[in-house]
Amino acid sequence: RGLGGRKNSEAGKRLRVRLEENVSLVKESLQRVGLDQLEAPGPIVSLHFADEWRAVLLKRQLLAAGIYPPLI
């Protein structure tokens, strides 16, 4: 490998660390406000809502904040 491969590897490591930190922050924040989370692999945040209206409300708030979740 040349230097480019090493650089990409180090950049990839930094991005993975940042992703793990962000996922932890999101999961801790959701837990703090009382949202139930389902176990999910990797950086996936899976939520369970007892009431459909809560899911609709969260979706609206996320979209208003410019966050476009893949599924709600």
Side-chain angles (χ1 to χ4, degrees):
R1 276 185 167 175
L3 289 177
R6 182 170 179 229
K7 181 179 178 183
N8 288 336
S9 177
E10 291 172 6
K13 288 178 185 177
R14 285 193 302 273
L15 288 173
R16 282 188 293 280
V17 167
R18 184 174 169 200
L19 175 63
E20 290 172 9
E21 290 171 350
N22 288 338
V23 169
S24 293
L25 175 65
V26 168
K27 288 183 176 185
E28 290 168 7
S29 297
L30 292 171
Q31 186 177 28
R32 218 176 7 260
V33 298
L35 289 176
D36 294 330
Q37 300 173 50
L38 303 175
E39 288 296 320
I44 297 169
V45 177
S46 182
L47 302 174
H48 172 72
F49 296 95
D51 301 308
E52 184 179 343
W53 68 268
R54 287 181 148 204
V56 171
L57 179 61
L58 177 61
K59 181 178 181 178
R60 288 179 184 165
Q61 291 172 332
L62 289 171
L63 292 174
I67 301 170
Y68 302 95
L71 297 172
I72 288 192

